[in-house]
Amino acid sequence: MSDLAAHINEAARRLVQGQLVAFPTETVYGLGADASNAQAVAAIFHTKGRPTNHPVIVHVAPNADLSHWVTQVPPEAQQLIDAFWPGPLTLILPRAASASAAVSGGQDTIGIRCPSHPVAQALLKRFAQLKGPEQPAGVAAPSANRFGQVSPTQAQHVRDEFAHLEADALYILAGGNADVGIESTIIDLSRVGQGVAPVILRPGHITAEQIEAVLGQPLGHNAKTASTPRVSGSLKAHYAPHTPLYLKRRDQLEDLTDSNAVAVVFDETVQTQAHVYLAPATAEQYASQLYAMLRQLDEQGYSAIYLQQPPQTTEWEAVNDRIGRAAAAFDSARNNA
């Protein structure tokens, strides 16, 4: 058995025993537990400091039987599964009674995803083998960071985030960088049986245009109502570093006089008195490096991080969503000062 296979086997064994395992996906590293073990799921919330009414996503192996988790897979959901799984797309579907309400924040819906990262797939398959064919094998996993903080895209980020834990409290399965770099697209299909069109609740690598092309129909608008499911990463303030972070236009960056701050720009012609960090100019590369970049800058002792506002275009939608939420808490704090 190779070293990686041995680590995967150990991680799967620990999941079966109700322990926590951090593991890589193509989006970010997840903090995982057996989704059918309520005590293990509770440990996720405790370790992250996450409110228990915030749902987590259940990760399953390719071709897994979803019947334990959802009441039905509507045709629209099956189309998306066929097109995008394994991959960075989470489906919100009606939760089956057999699935623990702990993973859904007490809601009657549940988020399901099949990640494409080879280490994640190997872990989920081995976990299913160890549990046996008669037992449900899903891994509940939000991002492996403390609640509201920057998501991890490397194993070292997880080690840094939970350095305060006892050595045996969390098993970290390393698997290189998370290439996509931001969390999965979340689409709500829980109400299609009631005539409500599918709705994106969190943008991600898979775009609305790609989804509409598969479904052959326009998506609904994300106008939150009492019946809209709560999902991961939907708080106004989220994904935040410790250093104050603000979004600025190019002219505002050029007016900065704080030489102890850093300006993150994707246009190298920007002139500013702040330190300059040149970020990728394409949305896909920017997303891939975003969280690692914020963690790196957070350690440099800058007075503030100023991000050049990306274009308000479809391709930048997911990046704008994440950095907008990262800046929201600091904007709110400054406005209330």
Side-chain angles (χ1 to χ4, degrees):
M1 181 181 293
S2 69
D3 287 346
L4 178 57
H7 286 303
I8 289 170
N9 187 70
E10 176 63 13
R13 185 187 69 80
R14 291 189 180 222
L15 286 172
V16 171
Q17 292 182 342
Q19 299 179 43
L20 296 181
V21 171
F23 64 99
T25 78
E26 72 279 15
T27 58
V28 299
Y29 271 69
L31 181 64
D34 183 347
S36 60
N37 182 330
Q39 186 174 357
V41 173
I44 293 176
F45 288 89
H46 175 75
T47 301
K48 280 181 64 77
R50 183 186 182 97
T52 57
N53 66 344
H54 285 248
V56 294
I57 295 168
V58 176
H59 295 67
V60 296
N63 302 313
D65 180 4
L66 301 183
S67 61
H68 173 82
W69 309 106
V70 305
T71 59
Q72 59 176 322
V73 179
E76 295 88 343
Q78 190 59 55
Q79 286 179 282
L80 296 180
I81 288 172
D82 293 341
F84 298 115
W85 278 16
L89 182 68
T90 295
L91 309 180
I92 304 297
L93 296 169
R95 178 174 60 84
S98 51
S100 171
V103 298
S104 65
Q107 301 180 108
D108 60 3
T109 57
I110 191 169
I112 301 286
R113 180 164 107 78
C114 176
S116 62
H117 194 292
V119 174
Q121 287 200 20
L123 173 63
L124 292 165
K125 290 175 183 176
R126 183 58 182 150
F127 175 61
Q129 290 172 348
L130 292 179
K131 290 208 74 175
E134 303 303 319
Q135 296 295 319
V139 174
S143 55
N145 55 277
R146 285 170 289 183
F147 184 66
Q149 301 300 309
V150 178
S151 300
T153 55
Q154 302 170 15
Q156 187 58 48
H157 295 165
V158 183
R159 297 186 189 101
D160 294 342
E161 191 79 10
F162 296 110
H164 61 287
L165 296 180
E166 294 183 8
D168 205 44
L170 173 64
Y171 188 83
I172 300 175
L173 177 61
N177 294 345
D179 292 334
V180 171
I182 57 173
E183 298 79 3
S184 62
T185 304
I186 298 180
I187 182 166
D188 177 22
L189 299 126
S190 65
R191 299 169 289 170
V192 294
Q194 305 163 31
V196 179
V199 177
I200 288 182
L201 302 182
R202 181 177 72 186
H205 183 73
I206 295 174
T207 66
E209 288 77 6
Q210 290 175 298
I211 292 172
E212 288 177 338
V214 169
L215 296 180
Q217 68 178 72
L219 298 177
H221 297 291
N222 185 9
K224 289 190 175 182
T225 67
S227 60
T228 304
R230 297 188 308 276
V231 296
S232 299
S234 59
L235 292 179
K236 180 180 179 180
H238 211 61
Y239 313 114
H242 299 286
T243 306
L245 181 150
Y246 307 105
L247 299 180
K248 297 293 182 182
R249 302 186 308 270
R250 177 194 175 113
D251 61 299
Q252 292 174 318
L253 292 175
E254 293 187 333
D255 288 341
L256 287 177
T257 58
D258 185 356
S259 60
N260 293 318
V262 60
V264 177
V265 303
F266 48 83
D267 180 351
E268 60 185 357
T269 66
V270 172
Q271 300 292 317
T272 178
Q273 292 186 39
H275 296 267
V276 173
Y277 183 101
L278 187 61
T282 67
E284 185 172 335
Q285 291 179 327
Y286 193 107
S288 178
Q289 298 180 29
L290 173 60
Y291 292 149
M293 174 185 73
L294 291 182
R295 284 178 172 270
Q296 176 186 341
L297 295 177
D298 215 11
E299 297 172 353
Q300 302 304 309
Y302 292 115
S303 60
I305 300 171
Y306 294 97
L307 299 183
Q308 182 181 5
Q309 178 71 65
Q312 298 296 312
T313 59
T314 301
E315 66 175 337
W316 285 92
E317 182 180 12
V319 167
N320 278 318
D321 174 80
R322 301 313 191 275
I323 62 177
R325 295 179 193 277
F330 300 107
D331 285 334
S332 175
R334 185 166 60 177
N335 292 337
N336 294 329

Coordinates of all heavy atoms in Angstrom, one line a residue, residues 150-240:
V150 N -11.3 32.9 6.4 CA -10.9 32.6 5.1 C -10.8 31.1 4.9 O -10.2 30.4 5.7 CB -9.5 33.3 4.7 CG1 -9.1 32.9 3.3 CG2 -9.6 34.8 4.9
S151 N -11.4 30.6 3.9 CA -11.4 29.1 3.6 C -9.9 28.7 3.3 O -9.2 29.4 2.7 CB -12.3 28.8 2.5 OG -13.6 29.2 2.8
P152 N -9.6 27.4 3.6 CA -8.3 26.9 3.3 C -8.2 26.2 2.0 O -9.1 25.5 1.6 CB -8.1 25.8 4.4 CG -9.5 25.3 4.7 CD -10.4 26.5 4.4
T153 N -7.1 26.4 1.2 CA -6.9 25.7 -0.1 C -5.7 24.9 -0.1 O -5.3 24.3 -1.1 CB -6.9 26.8 -1.2 OG1 -5.8 27.7 -0.9 CG2 -8.2 27.5 -1.4
Q154 N -5.0 24.8 1.1 CA -3.8 24.0 1.3 C -3.9 23.3 2.6 O -4.5 23.8 3.6 CB -2.5 24.8 1.2 CG -2.4 25.6 -0.1 CD -1.2 26.6 0.0 OE1 -0.4 26.5 0.9 NE2 -1.2 27.5 -0.9
A155 N -3.3 22.1 2.7 CA -3.3 21.4 4.0 C -2.6 22.3 5.1 O -3.1 22.2 6.3 CB -2.5 20.1 3.9
Q156 N -1.6 23.1 4.8 CA -1.0 23.9 5.8 C -1.9 25.0 6.3 O -1.8 25.3 7.5 CB 0.3 24.6 5.2 CG 1.1 25.3 6.3 CD 1.6 24.4 7.4 OE1 2.1 23.3 7.2 NE2 1.4 24.8 8.6
H157 N -2.8 25.4 5.5 CA -3.8 26.4 6.0 C -4.7 25.8 7.1 O -5.0 26.4 8.1 CB -4.8 26.8 4.8 CG -4.1 27.6 3.7 ND1 -4.7 27.8 2.5 CD2 -2.9 28.2 3.7 CE1 -3.9 28.5 1.7 NE2 -2.8 28.7 2.4
V158 N -5.0 24.5 6.9 CA -5.8 23.8 7.9 C -5.0 23.6 9.2 O -5.5 23.8 10.3 CB -6.3 22.4 7.4 CG1 -7.2 21.7 8.4 CG2 -7.0 22.6 6.1
R159 N -3.7 23.3 9.1 CA -2.9 23.1 10.3 C -2.8 24.4 11.0 O -2.9 24.5 12.2 CB -1.5 22.6 9.8 CG -1.5 21.3 9.2 CD 0.0 20.8 8.9 NE 0.0 19.6 8.1 CZ 0.3 19.6 6.8 NH1 0.6 20.7 6.2 NH2 0.2 18.4 6.1
D160 N -2.6 25.5 10.3 CA -2.5 26.8 10.9 C -3.8 27.2 11.6 O -3.8 27.8 12.7 CB -2.2 27.9 9.9 CG -0.8 27.7 9.3 OD1 0.1 27.0 9.9 OD2 -0.5 28.3 8.2
E161 N -4.9 26.9 10.9 CA -6.2 27.3 11.5 C -6.6 26.6 12.8 O -7.2 27.2 13.7 CB -7.3 27.0 10.4 CG -8.7 27.5 10.7 CD -8.8 29.0 10.3 OE1 -7.9 29.6 9.7 OE2 -9.8 29.6 10.7
F162 N -6.2 25.3 12.9 CA -6.6 24.5 14.0 C -5.3 24.1 14.9 O -5.3 23.0 15.5 CB -7.4 23.3 13.6 CG -8.7 23.7 13.0 CD1 -8.9 23.5 11.6 CD2 -9.7 24.3 13.7 CE1 -10.1 23.9 11.0 CE2 -10.9 24.6 13.2 CZ -11.1 24.4 11.8
A163 N -4.3 24.9 14.9 CA -3.1 24.6 15.6 C -3.3 24.5 17.1 O -2.6 23.9 17.8 CB -2.0 25.7 15.4
H164 N -4.4 25.1 17.6 CA -4.8 25.1 19.0 C -5.4 23.7 19.4 O -5.5 23.5 20.6 CB -5.7 26.2 19.3 CG -7.1 26.0 18.6 ND1 -7.2 26.3 17.3 CD2 -8.3 25.7 19.0 CE1 -8.4 26.1 16.9 NE2 -9.1 25.7 18.0
L165 N -5.8 22.9 18.5 CA -6.4 21.6 18.9 C -5.4 20.6 19.3 O -4.2 20.6 18.9 CB -7.2 21.0 17.7 CG -8.4 21.8 17.1 CD1 -9.0 21.1 16.0 CD2 -9.4 22.1 18.2
E166 N -5.8 19.6 20.1 CA -4.9 18.5 20.5 C -4.6 17.7 19.3 O -5.4 17.7 18.3 CB -5.6 17.7 21.5 CG -5.8 18.4 22.9 CD -6.4 17.5 23.9 OE1 -6.5 16.2 23.6 OE2 -6.8 18.0 25.0
A167 N -3.4 17.1 19.3 CA -2.9 16.5 18.0 C -3.8 15.4 17.4 O -3.9 15.3 16.2 CB -1.5 15.8 18.4
D168 N -4.6 14.7 18.3 CA -5.4 13.6 17.8 C -6.9 14.1 17.5 O -7.7 13.3 17.2 CB -5.4 12.5 18.7 CG -5.7 11.1 18.0 OD1 -5.2 10.9 17.0 OD2 -6.5 10.4 18.6
A169 N -7.1 15.4 17.7 CA -8.5 15.9 17.6 C -9.0 16.0 16.1 O -10.2 16.0 15.8 CB -8.7 17.2 18.3
L170 N -8.0 16.1 15.2 CA -8.3 16.3 13.8 C -7.2 15.7 12.9 O -6.1 16.0 13.1 CB -8.4 17.8 13.5 CG -8.5 18.2 12.0 CD1 -9.8 17.7 11.4 CD2 -8.4 19.7 11.8
Y171 N -7.7 14.8 12.1 CA -6.8 14.1 11.1 C -6.8 14.9 9.8 O -7.9 15.1 9.3 CB -7.2 12.7 10.9 CG -6.2 11.9 10.1 CD1 -5.1 11.3 10.7 CD2 -6.3 11.7 8.7 CE1 -4.1 10.6 10.0 CE2 -5.4 11.0 8.0 CZ -4.3 10.4 8.6 OH -3.3 9.7 7.9
I172 N -5.6 15.3 9.4 CA -5.5 16.1 8.1 C -5.0 15.3 7.0 O -3.9 14.8 7.1 CB -4.7 17.4 8.4 CG1 -5.3 18.3 9.5 CG2 -4.6 18.2 7.1 CD1 -4.4 19.5 9.8
L173 N -5.8 15.1 6.0 CA -5.4 14.3 4.8 C -5.0 15.3 3.8 O -5.8 16.0 3.2 CB -6.6 13.5 4.3 CG -6.4 12.7 3.1 CD1 -5.3 11.6 3.2 CD2 -7.7 12.0 2.6
A174 N -3.7 15.4 3.5 CA -3.1 16.3 2.5 C -3.3 15.8 1.1 O -3.3 14.6 0.9 CB -1.7 16.5 2.8
G175 N -3.6 16.7 0.2 CA -3.8 16.3 -1.2 C -3.4 17.5 -2.1 O -4.1 17.6 -3.2
G176 N -2.4 18.3 -1.8 CA -2.1 19.4 -2.7 C -3.0 20.5 -2.6 O -3.9 20.6 -1.7
N177 N -2.9 21.4 -3.6 CA -3.8 22.6 -3.6 C -5.2 22.3 -4.1 O -5.3 21.5 -4.9 CB -3.1 23.7 -4.4 CG -1.8 24.2 -3.9 OD1 -1.5 24.0 -2.7 ND2 -1.1 24.9 -4.7
A178 N -6.1 23.1 -3.6 CA -7.5 23.1 -4.2 C -7.5 24.0 -5.4 O -7.4 25.2 -5.3 CB -8.5 23.5 -3.1
D179 N -7.6 23.4 -6.6 CA -7.4 24.2 -7.8 C -8.4 25.2 -8.1 O -8.1 26.3 -8.6 CB -7.2 23.2 -9.0 CG -6.0 22.4 -8.9 OD1 -5.0 22.8 -8.3 OD2 -6.0 21.3 -9.5
V180 N -9.7 24.9 -7.8 CA -10.8 25.9 -8.1 C -10.6 27.1 -7.2 O -10.7 28.2 -7.6 CB -12.2 25.2 -8.0 CG1 -13.3 26.3 -8.1 CG2 -12.3 24.2 -9.1
G181 N -10.4 26.8 -5.9 CA -10.0 27.8 -4.9 C -11.2 28.5 -4.2 O -10.9 29.2 -3.3
I182 N -12.4 28.4 -4.7 CA -13.5 29.0 -4.0 C -14.6 27.9 -3.9 O -14.6 26.9 -4.7 CB -14.1 30.2 -4.7 CG1 -14.5 29.9 -6.2 CG2 -13.1 31.4 -4.6 CD1 -15.2 31.1 -6.9
E183 N -15.6 28.1 -3.0 CA -16.5 27.1 -2.7 C -17.5 26.8 -3.9 O -17.6 27.6 -4.8 CB -17.4 27.5 -1.5 CG -16.6 27.7 -0.2 CD -15.8 29.0 -0.2 OE1 -15.9 29.8 -1.1 OE2 -15.1 29.2 0.8
S184 N -18.1 25.7 -3.9 CA -19.0 25.2 -5.0 C -20.1 26.1 -5.2 O -20.6 26.8 -4.4 CB -19.5 23.8 -4.7 OG -20.3 23.8 -3.5
T185 N -20.6 26.1 -6.5 CA -21.9 26.7 -6.8 C -23.0 25.9 -6.1 O -23.0 24.7 -6.1 CB -22.1 26.6 -8.3 OG1 -21.0 27.2 -9.0 CG2 -23.4 27.3 -8.7
I186 N -23.9 26.6 -5.5 CA -25.1 26.0 -4.9 C -26.3 26.4 -5.6 O -26.6 27.5 -5.8 CB -25.2 26.4 -3.4 CG1 -24.0 26.0 -2.6 CG2 -26.5 25.8 -2.8 CD1 -24.1 26.4 -1.1
I187 N -27.1 25.3 -6.1 CA -28.3 25.6 -6.8 C -29.5 24.9 -6.1 O -29.4 23.7 -5.7 CB -28.2 25.1 -8.3 CG1 -29.5 25.4 -9.0 CG2 -27.9 23.7 -8.4 CD1 -29.4 25.4 -10.5
D188 N -30.5 25.6 -5.9 CA -31.7 25.1 -5.2 C -32.7 24.5 -6.2 O -33.2 25.2 -7.1 CB -32.4 26.3 -4.4 CG -33.7 25.8 -3.8 OD1 -33.8 24.6 -3.5 OD2 -34.5 26.7 -3.5
L189 N -32.9 23.2 -6.1 CA -33.9 22.4 -6.9 C -34.9 21.8 -6.0 O -35.7 21.0 -6.4 CB -33.2 21.3 -7.7 CG -32.1 21.8 -8.7 CD1 -30.8 21.1 -8.4 CD2 -32.6 21.6 -10.1
S190 N -35.0 22.3 -4.7 CA -35.9 21.7 -3.8 C -37.4 22.0 -4.1 O -38.3 21.3 -3.5 CB -35.6 22.1 -2.4 OG -35.8 23.5 -2.2
R191 N -37.6 23.0 -4.9 CA -39.0 23.4 -5.1 C -39.5 23.3 -6.6 O -40.5 23.9 -6.9 CB -39.2 24.9 -4.6 CG -38.9 25.1 -3.1 CD -38.8 26.5 -2.7 NE -37.6 27.1 -3.3 CZ -37.3 28.4 -3.2 NH1 -38.2 29.3 -2.7 NH2 -36.2 28.9 -3.7
V192 N -38.7 22.6 -7.4 CA -39.1 22.5 -8.8 C -40.4 21.7 -8.9 O -41.2 21.9 -9.9 CB -38.0 21.8 -9.6 CG1 -36.8 22.7 -9.7 CG2 -37.6 20.4 -9.1
G193 N -40.7 20.8 -8.0 CA -42.0 20.1 -8.0 C -43.2 21.0 -7.7 O -44.3 20.6 -8.0
Q194 N -42.9 22.2 -7.2 CA -44.0 23.1 -6.9 C -44.0 24.2 -8.0 O -44.7 25.2 -7.8 CB -43.7 23.8 -5.5 CG -43.6 22.8 -4.4 CD -42.9 23.4 -3.2 OE1 -43.1 24.6 -2.9 NE2 -42.2 22.6 -2.4
G195 N -43.2 24.0 -9.0 CA -43.2 24.9 -10.1 C -42.3 26.1 -10.0 O -42.3 27.1 -10.8
V196 N -41.4 26.0 -9.0 CA -40.4 27.1 -8.8 C -39.1 26.7 -9.5 O -38.6 25.6 -9.4 CB -40.1 27.2 -7.3 CG1 -39.0 28.3 -7.1 CG2 -41.3 27.6 -6.5
A197 N -38.7 27.6 -10.4 CA -37.5 27.3 -11.2 C -36.3 27.2 -10.4 O -36.2 27.7 -9.3 CB -37.3 28.5 -12.2
P198 N -35.3 26.4 -10.8 CA -34.0 26.3 -10.1 C -33.4 27.7 -9.9 O -33.5 28.5 -10.8 CB -33.2 25.4 -11.0 CG -34.1 24.6 -11.8 CD -35.3 25.6 -12.0
V199 N -32.8 27.9 -8.7 CA -32.2 29.1 -8.4 C -30.8 28.9 -7.8 O -30.6 28.1 -7.0 CB -33.0 29.9 -7.3 CG1 -32.4 31.2 -6.9 CG2 -34.4 30.1 -7.8
I200 N -29.8 29.7 -8.3 CA -28.5 29.7 -7.7 C -28.5 30.5 -6.4 O -28.8 31.7 -6.4 CB -27.4 30.3 -8.7 CG1 -27.2 29.3 -9.8 CG2 -26.1 30.5 -8.0 CD1 -26.2 29.7 -10.8
L201 N -28.1 29.9 -5.3 CA -28.1 30.5 -4.0 C -26.7 31.0 -3.6 O -26.5 31.8 -2.8 CB -28.6 29.5 -2.9 CG -30.0 29.1 -3.1 CD1 -30.5 28.2 -2.0 CD2 -31.0 30.2 -3.3
R202 N -25.6 30.4 -4.3 CA -24.3 30.8 -4.1 C -23.5 30.6 -5.4 O -23.4 29.5 -5.9 CB -23.6 30.0 -3.0 CG -22.1 30.5 -2.7 CD -21.5 29.7 -1.6 NE -21.2 28.3 -1.9 CZ -20.7 27.4 -1.1 NH1 -20.5 27.8 0.2 NH2 -20.4 26.2 -1.4
P203 N -23.0 31.7 -6.0 CA -22.3 31.5 -7.3 C -20.9 30.8 -7.1 O -20.4 30.8 -6.0 CB -22.1 32.9 -7.8 CG -22.1 33.8 -6.5 CD -23.0 33.1 -5.6
G204 N -20.4 30.2 -8.1 CA -19.2 29.5 -8.0 C -18.6 29.3 -9.4 O -18.9 29.9 -10.3
H205 N -17.7 28.3 -9.5 CA -16.9 28.0 -10.7 C -17.9 27.6 -11.8 O -17.6 28.0 -13.0 CB -15.9 26.9 -10.4 CG -15.1 26.5 -11.6 ND1 -14.0 27.3 -12.0 CD2 -15.1 25.4 -12.4 CE1 -13.4 26.7 -13.0 NE2 -14.0 25.6 -13.3
I206 N -18.9 26.9 -11.5 CA -19.9 26.5 -12.5 C -20.9 27.7 -12.6 O -21.6 28.0 -11.6 CB -20.6 25.2 -12.2 CG1 -19.6 24.1 -12.3 CG2 -21.8 24.9 -13.2 CD1 -20.1 22.7 -11.9
T207 N -21.1 28.2 -13.8 CA -21.9 29.5 -13.9 C -23.3 29.2 -14.2 O -23.7 28.1 -14.6 CB -21.3 30.3 -15.0 OG1 -21.5 29.7 -16.3 CG2 -19.8 30.6 -14.8
A208 N -24.1 30.3 -14.1 CA -25.5 30.2 -14.4 C -25.7 29.9 -15.9 O -26.6 29.1 -16.2 CB -26.2 31.5 -14.1
E209 N -24.9 30.4 -16.7 CA -25.0 30.2 -18.2 C -24.8 28.7 -18.5 O -25.5 28.1 -19.3 CB -24.0 31.0 -19.0 CG -24.4 32.5 -19.0 CD -24.1 33.2 -17.7 OE1 -23.5 32.6 -16.8 OE2 -24.4 34.4 -17.6
Q210 N -23.8 28.1 -17.8 CA -23.5 26.7 -18.0 C -24.7 25.8 -17.6 O -25.1 24.8 -18.3 CB -22.3 26.3 -17.3 CG -21.0 26.8 -17.9 CD -19.8 26.5 -17.0 OE1 -19.7 26.9 -15.8 NE2 -18.8 25.8 -17.5
I211 N -25.3 26.2 -16.5 CA -26.4 25.4 -15.9 C -27.6 25.6 -16.8 O -28.3 24.6 -17.1 CB -26.7 25.9 -14.5 CG1 -25.6 25.4 -13.6 CG2 -28.0 25.3 -14.0 CD1 -25.7 26.0 -12.2
E212 N -27.9 26.8 -17.3 CA -29.0 27.0 -18.2 C -28.9 26.3 -19.5 O -29.9 25.8 -20.0 CB -29.2 28.5 -18.4 CG -29.7 29.3 -17.2 CD -29.8 30.8 -17.4 OE1 -29.1 31.3 -18.3 OE2 -30.6 31.5 -16.7
A213 N -27.7 26.2 -20.0 CA -27.4 25.4 -21.2 C -27.8 24.0 -21.0 O -28.3 23.3 -22.0 CB -26.0 25.6 -21.6
V214 N -27.5 23.4 -19.9 CA -27.8 22.0 -19.6 C -29.3 21.8 -19.4 O -29.9 20.9 -20.0 CB -27.0 21.5 -18.4 CG1 -27.6 20.1 -18.0 CG2 -25.6 21.4 -18.7
L215 N -29.9 22.7 -18.7 CA -31.4 22.5 -18.4 C -32.3 23.0 -19.5 O -33.4 22.5 -19.6 CB -31.7 23.3 -17.1 CG -31.0 22.9 -15.8 CD1 -31.5 23.8 -14.7 CD2 -31.4 21.4 -15.5
G216 N -31.7 23.8 -20.4 CA -32.6 24.3 -21.5 C -33.7 25.2 -21.0 O -34.7 25.3 -21.7
Q217 N -33.4 25.9 -19.9 CA -34.4 26.8 -19.4 C -33.7 27.9 -18.5 O -32.6 27.6 -18.0 CB -35.5 26.1 -18.5 CG -34.9 25.6 -17.2 CD -35.9 24.9 -16.3 OE1 -36.4 23.8 -16.6 NE2 -36.2 25.5 -15.2
P218 N -34.3 29.1 -18.4 CA -33.7 30.1 -17.6 C -33.8 29.8 -16.1 O -34.8 29.2 -15.7 CB -34.5 31.4 -17.9 CG -35.8 30.9 -18.4 CD -35.5 29.6 -19.1
L219 N -32.8 30.2 -15.3 CA -32.9 30.0 -13.9 C -33.8 31.1 -13.2 O -34.0 32.2 -13.8 CB -31.5 30.1 -13.3 CG -30.6 29.0 -13.7 CD1 -29.2 29.2 -13.1 CD2 -31.1 27.6 -13.4
G220 N -34.3 30.8 -12.0 CA -35.0 31.8 -11.3 C -34.1 32.8 -10.7 O -32.9 32.7 -10.7
H221 N -34.7 33.9 -10.1 CA -33.9 34.9 -9.5 C -33.7 34.6 -8.0 O -34.7 34.1 -7.4 CB -34.5 36.3 -9.7 CG -34.6 36.8 -11.1 ND1 -33.5 37.1 -11.8 CD2 -35.7 36.9 -11.9 CE1 -33.8 37.4 -13.0 NE2 -35.2 37.3 -13.1
N222 N -32.6 34.9 -7.4 CA -32.3 34.7 -6.0 C -32.9 35.8 -5.2 O -32.2 36.6 -4.6 CB -30.8 34.5 -5.8 CG -30.5 34.1 -4.3 OD1 -31.4 33.8 -3.6 ND2 -29.3 34.1 -4.0
A223 N -34.2 35.9 -5.1 CA -34.9 36.8 -4.3 C -35.4 36.0 -3.0 O -36.3 35.2 -3.1 CB -36.1 37.4 -5.0
K224 N -34.7 36.2 -1.9 CA -34.9 35.4 -0.7 C -36.3 35.6 -0.2 O -36.8 36.7 0.0 CB -33.8 35.7 0.4 CG -32.4 35.2 0.0 CD -31.5 35.3 1.2 CE -30.2 34.7 0.9 NZ -29.2 34.7 2.0
T225 N -36.9 34.4 0.1 CA -38.2 34.4 0.8 C -38.2 33.5 2.0 O -37.1 32.9 2.2 CB -39.3 33.9 -0.2 OG1 -39.1 32.5 -0.5 CG2 -39.3 34.7 -1.5
A226 N -39.3 33.4 2.7 CA -39.3 32.5 3.9 C -39.1 31.1 3.5 O -38.6 30.3 4.3 CB -40.6 32.7 4.6
S227 N -39.4 30.7 2.2 CA -39.2 29.3 1.8 C -37.9 29.0 1.1 O -37.6 27.9 0.8 CB -40.4 29.0 0.8 OG -40.3 29.8 -0.3
T228 N -37.0 30.1 1.0 CA -35.7 29.8 0.4 C -34.8 29.1 1.4 O -34.7 29.6 2.5 CB -35.1 31.2 0.0 OG1 -35.9 31.9 -0.9 CG2 -33.7 30.9 -0.7
P229 N -34.2 28.0 1.0 CA -33.4 27.3 2.0 C -32.1 28.1 2.4 O -31.6 28.8 1.6 CB -33.0 26.0 1.2 CG -33.9 25.9 0.1 CD -34.4 27.3 -0.2
R230 N -31.8 28.0 3.7 CA -30.5 28.5 4.1 C -29.4 27.6 3.6 O -29.5 26.4 3.6 CB -30.4 28.6 5.6 CG -31.4 29.5 6.3 CD -31.1 29.6 7.8 NE -31.0 28.3 8.5 CZ -32.0 27.6 8.9 NH1 -33.3 28.0 8.7 NH2 -31.8 26.5 9.5
V231 N -28.3 28.2 3.2 CA -27.2 27.4 2.6 C -25.8 28.0 3.2 O -25.8 29.1 3.7 CB -27.1 27.4 1.1 CG1 -28.4 26.7 0.5 CG2 -27.0 28.8 0.5
S232 N -24.8 27.2 3.0 CA -23.5 27.6 3.4 C -23.0 28.8 2.7 O -23.3 29.0 1.5 CB -22.5 26.4 3.2 OG -22.8 25.3 3.9
G233 N -22.3 29.7 3.4 CA -21.6 30.8 2.8 C -22.6 31.9 2.3 O -22.2 32.7 1.4
S234 N -23.8 32.0 2.9 CA -24.7 33.0 2.4 C -24.9 34.2 3.3 O -25.6 35.1 3.1 CB -26.1 32.3 2.2 OG -26.6 31.8 3.4
L235 N -24.1 34.2 4.4 CA -24.1 35.4 5.3 C -23.5 36.6 4.6 O -22.6 36.5 3.8 CB -23.3 35.1 6.6 CG -23.9 34.1 7.5 CD1 -23.0 33.9 8.7 CD2 -25.3 34.5 8.0
K236 N -24.0 37.8 4.9 CA -23.5 39.0 4.3 C -22.0 39.2 4.6 O -21.3 39.6 3.7 CB -24.3 40.2 4.8 CG -23.8 41.5 4.2 CD -24.6 42.7 4.8 CE -24.1 44.0 4.2 NZ -24.8 45.2 4.7
A237 N -21.6 38.8 5.8 CA -20.1 39.0 6.2 C -19.6 37.6 6.3 O -20.0 36.8 7.2 CB -20.0 39.8 7.4
H238 N -18.6 37.2 5.5 CA -18.0 35.9 5.5 C -16.7 35.9 4.8 O -16.3 36.9 4.2 CB -19.0 34.9 4.8 CG -19.0 33.5 5.4 ND1 -19.3 33.2 6.7 CD2 -18.7 32.4 4.8 CE1 -19.3 31.9 6.8 NE2 -18.9 31.4 5.7
Y239 N -15.9 34.8 4.9 CA -14.7 34.6 4.2 C -13.6 35.7 4.5 O -12.9 36.2 3.6 CB -14.9 34.6 2.6 CG -16.0 33.7 2.2 CD1 -17.2 34.3 1.6 CD2 -16.0 32.4 2.3 CE1 -18.2 33.5 1.2 CE2 -17.0 31.5 1.9 CZ -18.1 32.1 1.3 OH -19.1 31.3 0.9
A240 N -13.6 36.2 5.7 CA -12.9 37.4 6.1 C -11.5 37.1 6.7 O -11.4 36.2 7.6 CB -13.7 38.3 7.0

